[in-house]
C-alpha cells in the first residue's frame, strides 16, 4: 500500500526562528501563495508585517518546479515570490497599499533542470545562493538500504540464519525496486545485480534464473486468528497455503463488504482485500455527475477526521475514474508529500478537532499549544492514513500526471499489475464454473476451462498482429476475460433454457397426440362392439315407424287451409258495423285467403302429376 512520507516535514526547532512552510503545487495561484506566506506573520505597523517580536521567520518553499506555465507564458506564484524576495514586500490588493516584510529569510528547493522538471526563471534564481547537492555516495546508499522499513519487521523467531536474512533482504529489495520495473530486460538486470550482491555479502550463490523462478514472499497474515499487533513477518513456504489463506480472507471480506467486485486487473479488489487483512477501514469517493471540488474537499475532511481525530486506520481508495478534475491530484500530491493540505479546515472545525484530541494528547504527553496540537493531529493522520491510487498507465494522460505531480511515483510504493498468468486464468474459470449451477457436469467443466484460457491467449496474440498492421492499440485485460466467461455462461444458460422450453413444448405436443391416438383407438373399439347393436336398433325403428302416404299429406293440407278460412270468417263476424277501411281490410284478407287456397290447389295438382296414385 502507498502512504504519505513521514519524514517529509521539516521539524520546527524548540527555540530560534519559526518556520513557515509553503508547499507549491501545479495549480497554486499567486493569491494562495500570498495567503500561505502571511498567515503566520503579524502586522507591526500600518504598512509593515513580519515575524513576532524578538523572533526570526524562515520561509521554506517546496518546491519551485511545481507550478505550471499559464496561458501567457508566466508562472504567477514564482513571479510573486520573485517580487517578494527582490523588493522585500508585496502589494495589498484589497487596500491597494504596499506592504513591507521584515525579519524573514527564504529557503527554497528544486530539482535539476535536466531531469524533465518545469523550468524556473533565471530572474528568480538570481536572488538565491544556489547549493547543489552531489550524488549520494555508495556508503550512504548502503546505510539507506540497511534501514529499509521491511527489514525492521524481522522477528527473532524467523530470522535464525544468514539464509533467512538473505531471503528477507531479497523480498524487500524486490518489493521496493523490482515492482517499479516494467521492461523484462530491466527486471533481468535487477535479478543479476541481486544475485551478485547476495554472493558478495551473504556468500550465497543463487543464480539469476533461480531468483526469478523462486522469489521469496514474506507476509504476516497467514494465521487470521492472531491479532494485528502480534503478527509475525515470516516467509511463505507453500504457495498453496498462501492461496487458500487469501481465499479465506476474501470470503470473510465478502460477508462485510458488499461493493467488492472485479475491476480490470483486480487493483481495487486487491486494495480492498489488503485493507481487510490489515484491519483498516476503506473509504471510497461517491462520485457522480454533480460531484465538484467542494465535495472532494468534504471527503478529504472526513478522512482526516477519521484518521487523525478518531485514530482509525483508514485507506483512501481512489480510482482513475474518480479523478474528475485535475485539482483532485493537486490535493493528493500535497497529502503524499507532507500529509498536509493548506487551508483544508476552517477555524471552527480546527478548534473542534483540537478539543477532541485534548485527552489523547495528554496521554501522549504532548503540549497543549495550538500549533503543537495541530502538529500532533497531522502526525496521527500520517500514521493512520494510507492512500491507494489505481491508475491506468495506457495513453498520454498517465505520463502527463507524472510530470506535473511527481509525488504519485516518488512518494508511493508502485505495484504494476501485468497480465494474469495461465494458472490464474484457469483458477478463476474453475472458481466461476464451480459456483454456477449451469456447469454441474465435471466433464463439461474440464473441457470449458482450457477452452476459455486458449481463447483469451489467442486474442492477445491477435492484438499484437493488429498493432503491427494498423499501428493501433487495443487492450485486453482480465476484466475482458471475466466478461467473456460471463457472456459465454449467459449465452449457454439462455440456449439451455430455450432448448428445455422447446423440449417441454415438444413433449407436451407428443403427449397430446398420443392421448388423442389412444382415445381414437378406444372409440374404434367401442364402435366395433356397438356397431351391430346400433344397426339392429335402426332397423327396428324403421319397422315400427308409421308410414304416411301422399293422400294423407294432401288431406292434412286441406284441413289446415279450411282452418285458416274459418278463422278469417270469425274475424269478420266480430265486427258488426265495419268501417270502409275495415271492410277493405277484410276484403284484402279474403283475397289473401283465396290466394292461399288457390296456391294449395296448385300444390295438390303438382303433387298429383309428379306422384300419381297407384
Amino acid at each position: 500500500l502507498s502512504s504519505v512520507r513521514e519524514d517529509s516535514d521539516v521539524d520546527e526547532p524548540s527555540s530560534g526562528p519559526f518556520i513557515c512552510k509553503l508547499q507549491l503545487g501545479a495549480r497554486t495561484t499567486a493569491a494562495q501563495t500570498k495567503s500561505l506566506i502571511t498567515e503566520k506573520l503579524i502586522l507591526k505597523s500600518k504598512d509593515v508585517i513580519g515575524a513576532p517580536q524578538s523572533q526570526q521567520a524562515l520561509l521554506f518553499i517546496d518546491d519551485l518546479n511545481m507550478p505550471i506555465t499559464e496561458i501567457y507564458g508566466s508562472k504567477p506564484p514564482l513571479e510573486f515570490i520573485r517580487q517578494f524576495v527582490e523588493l522585500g514586500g508585496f502589494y495589498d490588493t484589497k487596500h491597494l497599499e504596499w506592504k513591507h516584510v521584515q525579519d524573514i529569510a527564504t529557503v527554497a528547493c528544486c530539482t535539476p533542470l535536466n531531469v524533465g522538471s518545469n523550468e524556473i526563471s533565471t530572474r528568480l534564481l538570481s536572488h538565491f545562493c544556489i547549493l547543489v547537492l552531489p550524488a549520494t555516495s555508495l556508503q550512504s546508499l548502503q546505510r539507506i538500504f540497511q534501514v529499509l522499513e521491511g527489514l525492521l519487521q524481522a522477528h527473532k523467531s524467523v530470522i535464525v540464519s544468514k539464509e533467512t536474512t538473505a531471503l528477507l533482504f531479497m523480498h524487500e529489495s524486490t518489493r521496493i525496486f523490482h515492482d517499479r520495473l516494467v521492461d523484462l530486460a530491466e527486471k533481468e538486470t535487477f535479478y543479476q545485480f541481486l544475485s551478485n550482491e547476495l554472493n558478495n555479502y551473504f556468500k550465497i550463490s543463487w543464480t539469476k534464473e533461480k531468483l526469478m523462478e523462486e522469489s521469496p514472499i514474506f507476509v504476516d497474515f497467514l494465521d487470521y486468528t492472531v491479532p494485528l499487533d502480534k503478527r509475525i513477518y515470516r516467509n511463505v513456504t507453500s504457495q498453496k497455503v498462501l492461496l487458500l489463506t487469501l481465499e479465506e480472507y476474501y470470503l470473510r471480506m465478502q460477508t462485510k463488504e458488499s461493493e467488492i467486485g472485479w475491476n480490470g486487473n483486480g487493483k481495487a479488489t486487491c486494495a480492498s482485500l489488503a485493507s481487510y487483512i490489515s484491519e483498516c477501514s476503506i473509504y471510497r469517493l461517491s462520485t457522480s455527475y454533480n460531484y465538484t471540488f467542494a465535495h472532494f474537499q468534504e471527503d478529504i475532511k472526513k478522512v482526516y477526521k477519521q484518521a487523525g481525530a478518531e485514530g482509525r486506520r483508514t485507506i483512501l481508495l481512489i480510482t482513475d475514474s474518480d479523478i474528475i478534475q485535475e485539482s483532485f491530484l493537486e490535493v493528493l500530491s500535497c497529502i503524499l508529500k507532507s500529509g498536509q493540505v493548506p487551508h483544508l479546515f476552517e477555524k471552527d472545525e480546527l478548534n473542534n478537532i483540537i478539543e477532541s484530541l485534548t485527552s489523547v494528547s495528554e496521554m501522549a504527553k504532548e503540549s497543549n499549544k495550538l500549533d503543537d496540537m495541530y502538529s500532533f493531529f497531522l502526525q496521527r493522520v500520517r500514521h493512520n492514513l494510507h492512500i491507494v491510487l489505481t491508475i491506468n498507465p495506457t495513453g498520454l494522460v498517465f505520463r502527463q500526471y507524472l510530470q506535473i505531480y511527481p509525488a504519485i511515483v516518488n512518494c508511493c510504493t508502485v505495484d504494476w499489475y501485468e497480465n494474469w498468468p495461465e494458472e490464474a486464468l484457469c483458477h478463476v474459470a474453475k472458481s466461476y464454473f464451480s459456483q454456477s449451477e449451469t456447469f454441474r457436469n465435471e466433464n463439461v467443466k474440464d473441457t470449458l476451462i482450457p477452452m476459455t484460457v486458449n481463447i483469451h491467449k489467442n486474442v492477445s496474440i491477435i492484438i499484437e498482429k493488429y498493432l503491427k498492421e494498423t499501428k493501433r492499440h487495443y487492450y485486453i485485460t482480465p476484466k475482458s476475460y471475466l466478461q467473456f466467461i460471463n457472456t459465454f455462461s449467459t449465452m449457454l444458460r439462455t440456449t439451455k433454457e430455450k432448448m428445455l422450453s422447446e423440449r417441454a413444448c415438444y413433449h407436451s405436443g407428443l403427449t397430446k397426440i398420443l392421448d388423442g391416438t389412444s382415445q381414437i383407438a378406444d372409440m374404434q373399439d367401442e364402435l366395433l362392439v356397438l356397431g351391430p347393436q346400433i344397426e339392429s336398433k335402426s332397423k327396428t325403428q324403421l319397422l315400427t315407424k308409421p308410414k304416411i302416404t301422399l293422400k294423407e299429406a294432401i288431406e292434412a293440407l286441406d284441413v289446415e287451409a279450411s282452418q285458416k278460412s274459418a278463422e278469417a270468417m270469425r274475424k269478420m263476424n266480430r265486427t258488426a258495423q265495419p268501417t270502409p277501411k275495415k271492410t277493405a281490410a277484410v276484403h284484402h284478407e279474403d283475397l289473401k285467403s283465396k290466394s292461399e287456397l288457390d296456391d294449395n290447389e296448385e300444390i295438390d295438382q303438382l303433387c298429383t302429376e309428379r306422384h300419381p296414385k297407384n
Side-chain angles (χ1 to χ4, degrees):
L1 296 176
S2 62
S3 63
V4 298
R5 297 186 303 176
E6 297 186 358
D7 59 343
S8 58
D9 261 356
V10 179
D11 296 331
E12 295 188 12
S14 56
S15 61
F18 70 91
I19 299 175
C20 299
K21 303 165 190 175
L22 174 58
Q23 185 173 323
L24 297 179
R27 307 292 177 181
T28 305
T29 63
Q32 292 174 345
T33 305
K34 173 186 173 183
S35 176
L36 292 172
I37 292 175
T38 58
E39 64 179 359
K40 287 191 176 182
L41 303 179
I42 63 174
L43 184 63
K44 292 187 173 182
S45 63
K46 181 180 178 181
D47 56 352
V48 177
I49 61 175
Q53 296 294 335
S54 69
Q55 280 190 325
Q56 295 288 328
L58 178 63
L59 175 62
F60 179 75
I61 304 174
D62 182 23
D63 63 53
L64 296 178
N65 299 105
M66 289 302 298
I68 60 176
T69 306
E70 65 172 3
I71 189 173
Y72 300 106
S74 64
K75 298 178 180 179
L78 299 188
E79 295 301 323
F80 177 83
I81 294 173
R82 182 190 62 79
Q83 182 193 59
F84 167 72
V85 175
E86 181 178 353
L87 303 178
F90 47 80
Y91 280 101
D92 185 356
T93 56
K94 185 176 181 181
H95 301 90
L96 299 179
E97 296 177 350
W98 177 261
K99 296 291 185 181
H100 294 277
V101 181
Q102 297 178 351
D103 303 328
I104 186 169
T106 305
V107 178
C109 64
C110 63
T111 58
L113 300 180
N114 56 353
V115 293
S117 58
N118 295 326
E119 184 180 358
I120 303 175
S121 173
T122 54
R123 297 179 63 189
L124 174 61
L125 294 177
S126 62
H127 296 285
F128 288 89
C129 296
I130 301 178
L131 301 177
V132 180
L133 298 179
T136 310
S137 62
L138 179 60
Q139 184 178 4
S140 300
L141 289 174
Q142 289 175 348
R143 293 195 183 100
I144 294 174
F145 294 154
Q146 289 174 1
V147 294
L148 291 174
E149 183 180 1
L151 295 178
L152 298 178
Q153 302 182 42
H155 195 270
K156 61 181 180 180
S157 63
V158 177
I159 309 301
V160 294
S161 62
K162 69 175 183 179
E163 285 77 12
T164 55
T165 306
L167 290 175
L168 179 58
F169 176 77
M170 287 170 52
H171 169 72
E172 296 302 326
S173 301
T174 305
R175 181 178 65 86
I176 294 174
F177 301 109
H178 175 268
D179 290 349
R180 291 175 174 263
L181 304 178
V182 181
D183 188 65
L184 181 59
E186 295 177 351
K187 294 181 179 180
E188 293 179 354
T189 303
F190 166 79
Y191 279 112
Q192 185 62 51
F193 287 156
L194 183 60
S195 176
N196 296 336
E197 297 302 322
L198 292 176
N199 189 22
N200 293 336
Y201 293 97
F202 293 93
K203 307 302 178 184
I204 298 176
S205 299
W206 286 341
T207 62
K208 175 186 68 175
E209 290 75 14
K210 181 179 180 181
L211 295 179
M212 294 178 66
E213 294 177 358
E214 302 176 2
S215 182
I217 300 176
F218 277 74
V219 298
D220 63 351
F221 54 81
L222 290 179
D223 190 359
Y224 47 81
T225 60
V226 178
L228 182 64
D229 55 347
K230 295 183 179 180
R231 292 179 180 178
I232 299 177
Y233 203 48
R234 63 178 71 251
N235 184 25
V236 178
T237 57
S238 175
Q239 296 287 340
K240 185 177 181 180
V241 174
L242 178 61
L243 180 62
L244 294 176
T245 304
L246 291 176
E247 288 181 350
E248 179 66 22
Y249 274 113
Y250 185 73
L251 293 175
R252 289 168 176 252
M253 179 184 64
Q254 283 184 322
T255 60
K256 296 184 178 181
E257 300 287 343
S258 59
E259 73 278 3
I260 300 301
W262 300 100
N263 181 16
N265 282 12
K267 301 184 291 293
T269 303
C270 289
S272 301
L273 181 60
S275 67
Y276 177 77
I277 294 175
S278 303
E279 297 182 3
C280 297
S281 60
I282 191 167
Y283 190 93
R284 302 192 65 170
L285 303 181
S286 302
T287 57
S288 61
Y289 178 76
N290 297 324
Y291 194 82
T292 60
F293 182 74
H295 296 95
F296 180 73
Q297 282 187 318
E298 291 298 325
D299 286 332
I300 298 297
K301 289 180 181 179
K302 292 179 182 179
V303 171
Y304 263 58
K305 292 177 182 179
Q306 184 172 318
E310 301 176 11
R312 295 167 54 186
R313 295 166 56 87
T314 306
I315 290 179
L316 176 60
L317 177 58
I318 299 178
T319 62
D320 48 1
S321 60
D322 294 333
I323 305 175
I324 302 176
Q325 301 178 13
E326 194 172 341
S327 56
F328 294 1
L329 289 175
E330 180 84 17
V331 176
L332 294 176
S333 179
C334 294
I335 298 175
L336 291 172
K337 288 193 297 183
S338 63
Q340 182 179 1
V341 181
H343 298 168
L344 178 62
F345 294 100
E346 299 292 339
K347 187 175 181 180
D348 296 339
E349 295 176 334
L350 193 57
N351 291 333
N352 294 332
I353 293 174
I354 292 174
E355 289 180 2
S356 64
L357 287 175
T358 303
S359 59
V360 180
S361 63
E362 291 177 354
M363 294 178 60
K365 297 181 180 180
E366 295 288 340
S367 174
N368 291 329
K369 294 182 179 179
L370 181 62
D371 294 340
D372 295 337
M373 290 291 292
Y374 184 63
S375 299
F376 178 67
F377 169 73
L378 294 179
Q379 182 181 357
R380 285 167 62 90
V381 171
R382 297 189 191 101
H383 180 72
N384 295 322
L385 177 60
H386 301 268
I387 297 178
V388 179
L389 298 175
T390 61
I391 303 177
N392 186 3
T394 59
L396 299 177
V397 177
F398 179 65
R399 296 182 181 181
Q400 294 174 356
Y401 284 168
L402 295 185
Q403 291 178 355
I404 300 175
Y405 309 102
I408 296 177
V409 174
N410 297 336
C411 303
C412 294
T413 300
V414 180
D415 289 328
W416 285 91
Y417 282 72
E418 299 179 351
N419 294 331
W420 288 358
E422 184 176 350
E423 181 182 0
L425 296 175
C426 292
H427 182 77
V428 170
K430 183 179 179 180
S431 176
Y432 187 90
F433 291 147
S434 300
Q435 296 176 1
S436 179
E437 297 181 356
T438 308
F439 308 97
R440 296 181 179 179
N441 193 342
E442 294 294 334
N443 296 328
V444 175
K445 287 193 292 185
D446 295 339
T447 305
L448 289 178
I449 291 173
M451 182 195 71
T452 54
V453 175
N454 290 332
I455 291 175
H456 184 74
K457 292 172 62 178
N458 292 335
V459 172
S460 301
I461 296 173
I462 294 173
I463 287 173
E464 296 178 358
K465 296 181 180 179
Y466 179 78
L467 176 61
K468 293 179 180 179
E469 294 176 359
T470 63
K471 305 300 181 181
R472 294 182 179 180
H473 289 276
Y474 188 84
Y475 300 97
I476 293 293
T477 64
K479 183 177 181 180
S480 306
Y481 177 68
L482 296 174
Q483 290 176 347
F484 162 66
I485 295 178
N486 188 25
T487 303
F488 175 77
S489 303
T490 303
M491 293 176 62
L492 183 61
R493 182 176 64 255
T494 304
T495 305
K496 185 177 180 180
E497 292 175 355
K498 182 179 179 181
M499 291 179 62
L500 292 176
S501 177
E502 292 178 351
R503 188 180 71 173
C505 295
Y506 180 72
H507 182 268
S508 177
L510 287 179
T511 303
K512 292 181 179 179
I513 291 174
L514 293 175
D515 292 342
T517 303
S518 62
Q519 291 177 4
I520 292 173
D522 294 340
M523 292 173 64
Q524 288 177 349
D525 295 338
E526 291 179 0
L527 287 175
L528 291 176
V529 175
L530 298 177
Q533 299 178 5
I534 294 172
E535 187 177 357
S536 62
K537 288 183 178 180
S538 299
K539 291 180 180 180
T540 304
Q541 289 179 359
L542 290 174
L543 293 174
T544 57
K545 185 177 180 180
K547 295 181 179 180
I548 301 175
T549 61
L550 182 58
K551 182 179 179 180
E552 293 176 348
I554 294 172
E555 290 178 354
L557 291 174
D558 292 339
V559 171
E560 184 179 358
S562 62
Q563 290 178 353
K564 290 183 178 180
S565 178
E567 182 67 25
M569 292 298 294
R570 283 196 295 272
K571 290 181 179 180
M572 291 176 65
N573 293 332
R574 289 174 185 171
T575 56
Q577 295 178 355
T579 59
K581 292 183 179 180
K582 292 184 177 180
T583 304
V586 172
H587 180 65
H588 179 71
E589 290 290 336
D590 293 339
L591 293 177
K592 186 177 179 181
S593 300
K594 184 177 181 182
S595 176
E596 290 177 355
L597 291 174
D598 294 339
D599 292 338
N600 291 333
E601 291 178 357
E602 290 179 1
I603 291 172
D604 295 340
Q605 184 176 0
L606 289 173
C607 292
T608 305
E609 291 177 356
R610 294 185 180 183
H611 302 281
K613 296 181 179 180
N614 295 331

